[in-house]
Amino acid sequence: MKIIEVQDQIEGGKVAFDILKETLKEGAQTLGLATGSSPLEFYKQIRESDLDLSNLISVNLDEYVGLTGDDPQSYRYFMEKNLFDAKPFKESYLPSGVEESADQEVIRYNKILEDHPVDLQILGIGRNGHIGFNEPGTSFDSQTHLVQLDDSTIEANSRFFDKIEDVPTQAISMGIANILAAKSIVLFAYGESKAQAIKGTVEGERTEKVPASALQGHPN
């Protein structure tokens, strides 16, 4: 695991953008993308660049259950506003949170990930160490699955909603095994609120109590 210390999100976004450019030079075809505040500067760097992503595939980590893609709080809406509208991909895949059968959506999304192996996966990290929406206790062998969100995750995400009761309590998320299948991974973490999670990820034991600690076993 390579640790890159930066002064702020602006520097972090630039460092990740350089990693992206190098990955594309090496022939990357599929990018794994994340939502939340951590990758925003990275997406800004892409938007303001001359990169052409129109021959690439993107796959996102997760989506809330119960929100349509045009809901301003959905992750599809987030991606469109922060990246896709300015830099469209050939295809952009996200889990759907409004399918009648979550089981069928899980099967569909796992097949998409099988068909499009990720070259570079972008991650944030939750205060409890979650990556994607893989909460503490999630198996390192997990594939895409339906998640019951922890109270701490719901509370952390409530800042984006009018009231905490509006925050979805379920999501469909890539599993940890899906994430670890990426050829390379960049995880962003900023601020004191993420310090304990990063300590557990980097210095602690590799344990399902800290989902991000699974990254200790990743080669890049």
Side-chain angles (χ1 to χ4, degrees):
M1 185 181 291
K2 182 179 180 182
I3 309 301
I4 304 173
E5 294 185 10
V6 296
Q7 291 297 316
D8 51 29
Q9 291 198 29
I10 294 175
E11 185 184 356
K14 290 177 179 178
V15 170
F17 181 68
D18 288 341
I19 293 172
L20 170 62
K21 287 192 294 183
E22 192 61 35
T23 302
L24 294 177
K25 284 181 183 178
E26 294 170 357
Q29 296 295 312
T30 302
L31 303 183
L33 302 178
T35 54
S37 58
S38 296
L40 282 175
E41 183 62 34
F42 172 60
Y43 294 151
K44 182 173 183 283
Q45 293 284 326
I46 298 175
R47 291 197 311 270
E48 295 178 352
S49 75
D50 59 0
L51 287 183
D52 180 5
L53 307 180
S54 61
N55 286 322
L56 301 182
I57 302 294
S58 73
V59 291
N60 260 73
L61 285 167
D62 42 32
E63 179 61 281
Y64 284 124
V65 168
L67 300 186
T68 59
D70 58 357
D71 188 302
Q73 301 302 339
S74 75
Y75 286 160
R76 176 169 287 280
Y77 188 93
F78 175 100
M79 292 306 307
E80 288 173 352
K81 296 304 177 185
N82 287 288
L83 185 60
F84 297 159
D85 286 351
K87 293 288 185 178
F89 287 71
K90 181 179 179 181
E91 294 284 352
S92 290
Y93 297 104
L94 287 87
S96 171
V98 293
E99 299 301 318
E100 287 188 14
S101 170
D103 290 342
Q104 289 300 312
E105 180 58 14
V106 163
I107 292 170
R108 183 190 77 90
Y109 208 67
N110 275 323
K111 183 64 165 61
I112 288 171
L113 298 176
E114 181 182 331
D115 292 343
H116 301 288
V118 174
D119 294 290
L120 175 64
Q121 176 66 57
I122 301 301
L123 295 177
I125 186 170
R127 296 174 188 174
N128 62 2
H130 74 234
I131 48 177
F133 270 133
N134 295 289
E135 303 284 21
T138 303
S139 169
F140 287 170
D141 296 326
S142 58
Q143 302 285 327
T144 304
H145 58 293
L146 178 67
V147 180
Q148 301 289 333
L149 301 179
D150 277 5
D151 289 344
S152 63
T153 300
I154 293 170
E155 181 182 352
N157 290 346
S158 65
R159 68 189 188 276
F160 301 115
F161 293 81
D162 290 336
K163 53 185 184 298
I164 195 168
E165 290 80 10
D166 294 338
V167 184
T169 59
Q170 294 181 313
I172 292 178
S173 176
M174 280 190 204
I176 294 176
N178 299 121
I179 293 170
L180 294 178
K183 293 178 184 175
S184 58
I185 299 172
V186 172
L187 184 148
F188 296 104
Y190 302 111
E192 189 175 343
S193 67
K194 302 296 178 70
Q196 195 62 37
I198 287 299
K199 180 179 175 65
T201 297
V202 174
E203 299 179 0
E205 64 175 320
R206 193 169 184 264
T207 170
E208 292 174 359
K209 295 178 182 177
V210 182
S213 69
L215 299 173
Q216 293 175 17
H218 193 276
N220 190 18

